[in-house]
Each structure stands twice: as C-alpha cells, then as structure tokens.
C-alpha cells in the first residue's frame, strides 16, 4: 500500500532535500504549520520510509578524490543481480552501483584521486566476479537536484 502524502509533505521533503539541517521552526514558517505539526509529519515520513535518511554533501576534491567516473559493467549471462552488487560494493572507491535491465548490466559510480588510481580501480572491477566487459565515462561536471 502506498503511503499517503500531500502537498505539504512533498514541500517538507523538498525543503529537507535542499538542506537536511533545516530546523522544524524554519520549515514550519515556510509551510504555515506549527513546529509540532511539522515534527509529526517528518516523523511519519521517516516511519513510513518516504525519508530514508539524512546525508552530507562532500567536496571530494578537497578530500583528495577529485576524479569522478562511471563504469559500465557487463557480466556473464548467468550472473545473479545480487552477485553483481556484492562483487563491486566492497571496493572503497565505489560510491554507488545501479543494476540495469538491458546492456550494460550495471553502472558503477567511482570517486578516485587521479587517472592512475582510476586505472587501478578499473583493473579491480575487471577482476571482480564474472565481468566480461567495461566502458568508462569520465565526469566533467555535474548538477544534482537537491
């Protein structure tokens, strides 16, 4: 059964996506509800799984991993989806794994120091599981909806 959310719930989610540190008081002012009502709604959105967590946005370049890339992975046709995720998710440079229908089988997001480091990680990916092919896509810039 789908969770019932209204326009106010959607606005609260949008406000938290833009700044997860926003206070209940700030949100209450923006949506025209009391602080207690906003807290109840956010609690309900968390309990029902609409809000799954709160995160921090990181400048990877300042942490020494300024190169971002996506790697398309192709696996043997007998490889199970959970094996795909398991085979690459232990590599620390892997930020996300998206399993796909069609070709390729998975898209892996990486954050690495430089091109030599990228090559090392690609070699690790190629040796993991039943990888039959890769294709690398370098990120030049990005925009994310917050």
């Amino acid at each position: 059964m789908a969770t019932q959310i209204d326009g106010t719930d959607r606005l609260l989610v949008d406000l938290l996506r833009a700044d997860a540190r926003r206070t209940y008081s700030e949100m209450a002012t923006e949506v025209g509800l009391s602080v207690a009502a906003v807290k109840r709604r956010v609690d309900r959105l968390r309990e029902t799984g609409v809000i799954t967590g709160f995160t921090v946005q990181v400048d990877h370049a300042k942490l020494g991993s300024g190169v971002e890339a996506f790697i398309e992975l192709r696996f043997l046709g007998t490889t199970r989806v959970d094996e795909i995720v398991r085979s690459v998710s232990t590599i620390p440079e892997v930020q996300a794994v998206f399993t796909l229908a069609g070709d390729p089988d998975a898209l892996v997001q990486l954050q690495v120091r430089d091109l030599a480091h990228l090559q090392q990680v690609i070699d690790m990916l190629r040796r993991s599981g039943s990888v039959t092919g890769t294709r690398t896509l370098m990120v030049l810039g990005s925009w994310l909806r917050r």
Side-chain angles (χ1 to χ4, degrees):
M1 182 168 88
T3 302
Q4 295 293 326
I5 61 172
D6 61 17
T8 301
D9 292 331
R10 288 182 192 281
L11 181 54
L12 290 171
V13 169
D14 289 343
L15 291 170
L16 288 169
R17 286 179 70 195
D19 180 2
R21 294 185 59 169
R22 191 180 305 260
T23 67
Y24 292 129
S25 178
E26 291 170 336
M27 291 188 292
T29 300
E30 295 214 30
V31 300
L33 294 174
S34 69
V35 173
V38 167
K39 182 181 181 327
R40 280 193 304 273
R41 282 176 177 257
V42 171
D43 288 346
R44 180 178 46 79
L45 290 166
R46 290 183 70 196
E47 289 165 8
T48 58
V50 172
I51 294 174
T52 59
F54 299 89
T55 62
V56 173
Q57 302 299 316
V58 175
D59 183 338
H60 289 280
K62 290 181 180 174
L63 292 176
S65 296
V67 176
E68 183 176 20
F70 286 88
I71 310 295
E72 293 180 354
L73 296 177
R74 286 161 189 79
F75 287 81
L76 292 173
T78 58
T79 307
R80 294 169 33 110
V81 172
D82 60 334
E83 291 174 32
I84 292 172
V85 174
R86 188 173 41 254
S87 71
V88 299
S89 62
T90 59
I91 299 171
E93 294 83 358
V94 171
Q95 302 299 302
V97 179
F98 304 92
T99 54
L100 309 171
D103 184 34
D105 298 303
L107 185 64
V108 177
Q109 180 184 15
L110 300 176
Q111 203 70 50
V112 295
R113 290 184 306 275
D114 52 33
L115 295 181
H117 187 202
L118 176 61
Q119 182 177 344
Q120 292 170 349
V121 175
I122 291 170
D123 288 342
M124 279 190 279
L125 288 168
R126 287 180 174 162
R127 289 191 306 267
S128 64
S130 306
V131 174
T132 61
T134 63
R135 185 171 86 153
T136 303
L137 306 163
M138 298 291 299
V139 175
L140 299 177
S142 62
W143 175 86
L144 300 171
R145 184 173 305 281
R146 302 275 182 235

